[in-house]
Amino acid sequence: MKENSLLGYALLGLIHQQPRSGYDLRKIFANTPMGTFSDSPGAIYPALQRLEERGFVTSRVHASSGLRRRRLFRPTSSGKRAFRAWQTSSINSDDVIHRADELMLRFGFMDETAGAAQATRFLKALAKELAAYIPILRKFLKVQGAGMPLSGKLALESGIRGYETLLHWAKSALGIYKRSKKRGARK
Amino acid sequence: MKENSLLGYALLGLIHQQPRSGYDLRKIFANTPMGTFSDSPGAIYPALQRLEERGFVTSRVHASSGLRRRRLFRPTSSGKRAFRAWQTSSINSDDVIHRADELMLRFGFMDETAGAAQATRFLKALAKELAAYIPILRKFLKVQGAGMPLSGKLALESGIRGYETLLHWAKSALGIYKRSKKRGARK
DNA sequence: AGGTTCATGTAACCCGTTACATGATTTC
DNA sequence: GAAATCATGTAACGGGTTACATGAACCT
């Protein structure tokens, strides 16, 4: 079921936008806010090889006139299907607690590969899980806080605020999708 | 230089508070907000073995009357030194971008192992790095936003808000340390 | 007596890190 | 023609995941 690493899905999503080479992908990770992923060749080239072995991408070497040879990757239909399945799979509390990065990566490509309806579905589910989890953390802090050192309490407070911020963001993003849908319908 | 994994430091920090067994540590990761770490035995027991091999902890089996045998771990002086060195090492932009989790773990044990002065030093350095990084992200969003799909823009916005929240938190935490120091000095 | 919880371990596998290697093309 | 950049790879290593294994103590 867990067919690819997070890096693998990031690569799949990026070549979904347009065919890219390993070097293109490295540059994206090196020079954009997607830089949470490693731009090291030892991570990216093997990851692309795995994607190809699994039939999620194909590659072809382009060496057009005076340019350096570049191996361009593009997703197969099977790759597109696997990506969409990963992206639209249901969200549970474990995802929120242990895999927040993965959730945001899933959402980042949502428009291009799954559409606005899936995006709102995703945001609603995320907001629901966050609304359930935040009070649990708040209660823990209240009950256990007395016996915790100040820095420990503050670290937990920081984590909670992060989740609260994410919840606010999800709600405002939902509003944006709702308005853009209405505007689209009015046309 | 990179002597231990993040899990290793988490374990070191926890047994610094009091001697604990592998099972104690698993329970902490299973039942508290420190649950971002894996509670699987396949992660924890080998990690403890590594810490022992490297001389950062010692262990002794306790089997006192009618209780199940438990191997209790406690840090060595070398372990305490390594932990403190890790915890108080300087913060750079890379830490903020790629290792935010690690920063928060370092801070969470700060009072117990490094003191309030180090905590304020840490918070100031963190705030400085965040204040430098956030405008870079904001600018990227402004410049590149037009060519990005809505969900991509929103995902980036979410990340930025996360950093902004962290910056606000760091400033308010600094205020708390400052006030508690004053109160301490008045006595 | 049998199931559950306590408690500690091991082994295969996957994959990211780090470091090294190679050659072609552009730039000065 | 030397240096920098483009572009793609490989290999050793570390450590987390998953799954399996074992036995003691506690509960009913």
Side-chain angles (χ1 to χ4, degrees):
Chain A
M1 196 60 41
K2 181 134 228 174
E3 289 173 310
N4 292 303
S5 70
L6 203 54
L7 174 62
Y9 284 114
L11 296 172
L12 250 184
L14 285 168
I15 66 172
H16 203 286
Q17 297 176 332
Q18 55 179 276
R20 301 185 198 263
S21 68
Y23 195 74
D24 290 339
L25 295 159
R26 288 186 61 202
K27 273 188 301 183
I28 290 172
F29 295 148
N31 304 322
T32 75
M34 286 203 75
T36 48
F37 293 97
S38 164
D39 68 329
S40 91
I44 286 175
Y45 292 105
L48 287 167
Q49 285 167 13
R50 285 193 298 272
L51 286 173
E52 191 155 22
E53 282 162 20
R54 293 168 194 180
F56 295 140
V57 306
T58 54
S59 72
R60 226 187 81 204
V61 176
H62 289 240
S64 50
S65 62
L67 281 175
R68 296 179 181 89
R69 86 192 193 288
R70 286 153 39 85
R71 179 178 292 274
L72 282 181
F73 291 85
R74 60 188 75 229
T76 63
S77 59
S78 155
K80 289 177 190 171
R81 232 181 303 123
F83 188 79
R84 201 176 185 285
W86 166 75
Q87 202 173 28
T88 59
S89 67
S90 65
I91 297 175
N92 57 44
S93 60
D94 230 52
D95 293 323
V96 171
I97 299 171
H98 292 110
R99 287 178 292 278
D101 295 354
E102 181 169 355
L103 287 176
M104 207 44 64
L105 182 68
R106 283 169 60 178
F107 182 77
F109 291 109
M110 198 63 83
D111 281 346
E112 301 152 272
T113 51
Q118 282 294 330
T120 61
R121 206 176 141 271
F122 178 97
L123 289 170
K124 277 180 193 165
L126 175 60
K128 191 186 152 198
E129 291 297 338
L130 285 167
Y133 186 46
I134 291 169
I136 294 172
L137 291 176
R138 280 268 168 237
K139 191 183 171 188
F140 185 94
L141 180 57
K142 203 175 172 184
V143 173
Q144 304 291 326
M148 289 169 65
L150 177 56
S151 57
K153 267 189 293 188
L154 285 170
L156 177 51
E157 175 72 30
S158 163
I160 298 175
R161 285 203 200 174
Y163 286 119
E164 287 170 345
T165 300
L166 194 57
L167 177 55
H168 289 147
W169 167 85
K171 285 177 178 171
S172 83
L174 260 177
I176 291 171
Y177 274 101
K178 213 166 280 177
R179 278 195 296 282
S180 74
K181 190 180 150 197
K182 242 182 232 159
R183 220 170 310 166
R186 238 201 334 262
K187 278 194 181 175
Chain B
M1 199 58 43
K2 182 137 226 169
E3 288 174 311
N4 292 302
S5 70
L6 203 53
L7 174 63
Y9 285 114
L11 297 172
L12 249 185
L14 285 169
I15 67 172
H16 203 287
Q17 298 176 330
Q18 55 179 275
R20 301 184 197 265
S21 68
Y23 195 73
D24 290 338
L25 295 159
R26 288 187 60 204
K27 273 189 300 183
I28 290 172
F29 295 149
N31 304 321
T32 74
M34 287 204 72
T36 46
F37 293 97
S38 164
D39 69 329
S40 91
I44 288 175
Y45 291 104
L48 288 168
Q49 286 167 11
R50 284 193 296 273
L51 287 173
E52 193 156 19
E53 284 163 19
R54 294 169 194 179
F56 296 140
V57 305
T58 54
S59 72
R60 225 188 80 201
V61 176
H62 289 239
S64 50
S65 62
L67 280 174
R68 297 179 181 88
R69 85 191 194 289
R70 288 153 38 84
R71 179 178 292 274
L72 283 181
F73 292 84
R74 64 187 72 230
T76 63
S77 59
S78 154
K80 288 176 191 172
R81 230 181 306 125
F83 188 78
R84 199 176 186 285
W86 166 74
Q87 202 173 28
T88 59
S89 66
S90 66
I91 298 175
N92 56 45
S93 61
D94 230 52
D95 293 322
V96 170
I97 299 171
H98 291 110
R99 286 178 294 277
D101 295 354
E102 182 169 353
L103 287 177
M104 208 42 67
L105 182 68
R106 284 168 59 177
F107 182 77
F109 291 110
M110 200 62 83
D111 281 346
E112 302 152 271
T113 51
Q118 282 293 329
T120 61
R121 207 175 139 270
F122 179 97
L123 289 170
K124 275 180 196 165
L126 175 60
K128 190 186 152 197
E129 290 299 338
L130 285 167
Y133 186 47
I134 290 170
I136 294 173
L137 291 176
R138 280 269 165 238
K139 190 182 173 188
F140 184 95
L141 181 57
K142 203 174 172 183
V143 173
Q144 304 291 325
M148 290 169 66
L150 178 56
S151 56
K153 265 188 295 187
L154 286 170
L156 177 51
E157 174 72 30
S158 163
I160 297 175
R161 287 202 199 176
Y163 286 119
E164 288 169 344
T165 300
L166 195 56
L167 178 54
H168 290 147
W169 168 86
K171 285 178 180 172
S172 83
L174 260 178
I176 290 172
Y177 274 100
K178 214 165 281 178
R179 279 194 295 282
S180 73
K181 190 179 150 198
K182 244 183 232 161
R183 220 169 310 164
R186 241 203 328 268
K187 278 193 183 179

